[in-house]
Amino acid sequence: MNKYLKLVRDFHDAFSFPQATQGVNTRLSEMDIILRQALLMEEGALLLRAIKSGDMVKILTGMANLAYCALGAIAAQGAEVVDQPVSWRHDGSVISLMRLFSDKINHCASGNPDNYSEVYDVCAYLAGNFINADFDKAFQMIHDAKMSGAGKSAANTQDILKSTFFKAPDLSECLYE
């Protein structure tokens, strides 16, 4: 099992979110697909704002949170992450990043776990190859921050799935020089 998916499954267990048993693939309902799509779009919007600002720490935080969100949809289905090659070439324009993330998020409207895997794969790839950061450490720090909120209550349990529900850690130490 993908180590990041395991962390997300642990998060779901800690907050009692429903998820299918690992290896027992369960298709998301239409309402679950809509919820997951809304969450991905919110995380994607935060990431695009970070890209606009040019703040590498915020961009890394956005990528780690978007990956976490995509893995949540995979965990809910009991599926496994499918490692897929990422085809993106830095052309000197940040518009290409916007298109890449927007397209990958849009494909998730199908509810197919492979599409959520693509979002995760793009985030992990670009964290290391575009912003030159330690994705492993960043993801673990995001996870630890989320887990430290176990027992924290929300008016709407879906709010807990949003990255904005938890205080994001400072990921500056995850950036390579």
Side-chain angles (χ1 to χ4, degrees):
M1 174 190 313
N2 177 292
K3 65 183 173 182
Y4 305 115
L5 181 59
K6 173 146 182 17
L7 293 175
V8 171
R9 291 182 70 76
D10 292 345
F11 171 76
H12 282 202
D13 286 341
F15 287 91
S16 301
F17 290 123
Q19 60 185 346
T21 303
Q22 184 68 29
V24 180
N25 291 6
T26 304
R27 183 119 172 97
L28 293 175
S29 70
E30 284 186 3
M31 290 299 114
D32 286 334
I33 292 171
I34 291 169
L35 167 67
R36 296 294 174 171
Q37 191 67 12
L39 291 169
L40 285 172
M41 291 172 75
E42 287 178 43
E43 296 299 338
L46 292 171
L47 173 58
L48 293 178
R49 282 190 208 99
I51 291 170
K52 180 184 177 291
S53 77
D55 184 327
M56 292 303 194
V57 174
K58 288 182 181 176
I59 294 170
L60 177 58
T61 302
M63 286 181 184
N65 280 321
L66 182 59
Y68 208 98
C69 185
L71 290 173
I74 295 170
Q77 297 181 68
E80 183 58 66
V81 174
V82 177
D83 292 324
Q84 300 171 25
V86 175
S87 63
W88 177 81
R89 184 176 52 92
H90 186 42
D91 61 3
S93 167
V94 292
I95 292 291
S96 65
L97 285 172
M98 179 201 68
R99 285 188 188 116
L100 178 66
F101 283 111
S102 297
D103 289 346
K104 297 300 182 191
I105 290 169
N106 185 49
H107 291 149
C108 292
S110 69
N112 184 333
D114 292 351
N115 295 127
Y116 295 109
S117 289
E118 286 181 3
V119 171
Y120 159 76
D121 290 334
V122 164
C123 292
Y125 175 81
L126 291 177
N129 293 293
F130 175 64
I131 61 174
N132 196 28
D134 184 344
F135 183 76
D136 292 336
K137 186 174 185 177
F139 195 93
Q140 185 66 55
M141 289 174 70
I142 292 288
H143 173 72
D144 292 345
K146 288 179 181 288
M147 291 301 281
S148 70
K152 196 174 179 184
S153 63
N156 180 353
T157 57
Q158 294 172 3
D159 288 342
I160 295 172
L161 294 171
K162 298 178 185 177
S163 65
T164 54
F165 186 75
F166 301 96
K167 181 172 175 11
D170 179 8
L171 301 181
S172 57
E173 66 186 68
C174 300
L175 296 174
Y176 297 126
E177 304 218 15

